[in-house]
Amino acid sequence: MLPTRILAATLLLVACSSRSAPSEGSAAAAAVVGEPGTLPALDRFEAEIARFEASDRTSPPAPGGIVFVGSSSIRLWTSLASDFPALPVLNRGFGGSTLQEVNHYLPRVVLPYRPRMIVLYAGDNDIASGRAPQRVAEDYRAFVRLVRRSLPAARIVYISVKPSPSRWALNEQGRETNRLVRVITATDPLQTFVDVFSPMLGSNGRPRAELFVADSLHMTPTGYVVWRNRLTPIVR
C-alpha cells in the first residue's frame, strides 16, 4: 500500500486536474486551448443578430420567402435582391460565420420567417478553422434536422464551398466537403446541391482571379454573377 501522505497528494492532484479540464462540449474552452478543429465561441456575432431582430421589429419580412444565410460571402452579396428580381429574397448572412454558428442562430435568423426555401453558404470558414470535412458534413446534417423540425416542407439549397485563392492550400478539404454534402442532399428531393467550385476554376485548374477582390477570399461582382447563374434555375 502507498504511504498515507503520498496517497493523499495523488488524490489531490487528480481532483485538481478534473476541475481544470475543459468540458468536451465547451467550444469556448476548446478554442482557448487550441485543440485541432475547434471553433470560436458561438456568440461572437450576437450584435449582428440583434440588429437583424431590431430591423424585423420595425419592418417584419413576410413569411414564405427565400432566406439566404451563411458567412460573409452571403453577407456581402449586396446585389442579391436585383439578382433575383420579383422574388422575396432576404439576406441573413452574418460575420465570417461557420456552419456551427449558423446552426446556433438558426432559430433567430431563419426559422421565424418560415421561408419556403433556405439557401445556405457555410463550411468554408469551418475548414479554415481546422474542421475536418466529415465534421462539416455532420454539422450540415444537424442544420437539416433543425430546419425539418419546424419547416418540414422547406427546400434547402446548399452552395458548395468555393475555391478561394487565399485558401487554395485547403482545396482538397473543400472538394471532400462538397462531395460529402452532395451525397447527403442526393437522398432528399427537398435538398439541392449547387456546385460553384467548378465554374470558379480557370482552364489551368486554379481559381479565376477576376472573381475575387484583393483579399483573394471574397468575391467581385463577376464572382456573384457566377453564383447567380448557377442558382437562377433553382431559386424560385
Side-chain angles (χ1 to χ4, degrees):
M1 295 179 61
L2 289 172
T4 301
R5 294 172 64 182
I6 296 176
L7 178 60
T10 302
L11 292 173
L12 179 61
L13 178 61
V14 170
C16 291
S17 298
S18 299
R19 286 196 298 269
S20 62
S23 64
E24 184 178 354
S26 172
V32 170
V33 298
E35 293 179 1
T38 59
L39 298 172
L42 291 176
D43 61 353
R44 60 182 175 145
F45 298 121
E46 178 62 29
E48 286 186 60
I49 305 305
R51 285 196 291 272
F52 287 146
E53 293 173 326
S55 173
D56 293 344
R57 286 191 293 271
T58 303
S59 180
I66 302 168
V67 175
F68 283 67
V69 68
S71 65
S72 54
S73 292
I74 296 294
R75 175 174 56 84
L76 296 172
W77 197 341
T78 56
S79 63
L80 186 65
S82 60
D83 284 340
F84 299 95
L87 289 176
V89 297
L90 180 66
N91 191 324
R92 285 297 178 262
F94 60 96
S97 55
T98 63
L99 186 45
Q100 270 201 339
E101 288 166 326
V102 171
N103 289 345
H104 177 68
Y105 284 117
L106 196 72
R108 294 169 63 186
V109 298
V110 174
L111 300 184
Y113 312 119
R114 304 200 63 78
R116 67 175 185 259
M117 175 182 285
I118 303 164
V119 182
L120 169 69
Y121 182 76
D124 194 341
N125 292 324
D126 306 64
I127 295 168
S129 298
R131 213 69 161 174
Q134 293 77 10
R135 183 58 185 271
V136 179
E138 285 307 308
D139 287 338
Y140 174 69
R141 288 185 190 275
F143 174 88
V144 174
R145 287 194 299 269
L146 289 167
V147 170
R148 289 285 170 257
R149 287 174 192 167
S150 299
L151 305 169
R155 294 184 63 201
I156 298 171
V157 178
Y158 182 86
I159 302 174
S160 74
V161 173
K162 69 183 188 300
S164 302
S166 65
R167 293 177 175 175
W168 188 241
L170 300 171
N171 85 90
E172 290 305 322
Q173 290 94 316
R175 291 179 192 271
E176 178 63 5
T177 298
N178 290 339
R179 186 190 70 80
L180 292 171
V181 175
R182 187 193 289 268
V183 169
I184 297 169
T185 62
T187 65
D188 179 2
L190 290 177
Q191 295 181 54
T192 303
F193 178 90
V194 175
D195 174 27
V196 298
F197 193 101
S198 301
M200 295 183 77
L201 298 178
S203 58
N204 62 354
R206 300 294 293 265
R208 293 163 53 191
E210 75 274 14
L211 304 182
F212 296 90
V213 298
D215 67 3
S216 296
L217 175 62
H218 297 102
M219 295 188 296
T220 62
T222 306
Y224 283 108
V225 168
V226 174
W227 283 29
R228 182 200 66 196
N229 291 344
R230 301 293 288 184
L231 287 165
T232 294
I234 297 160
V235 176
R236 55 184 182 271

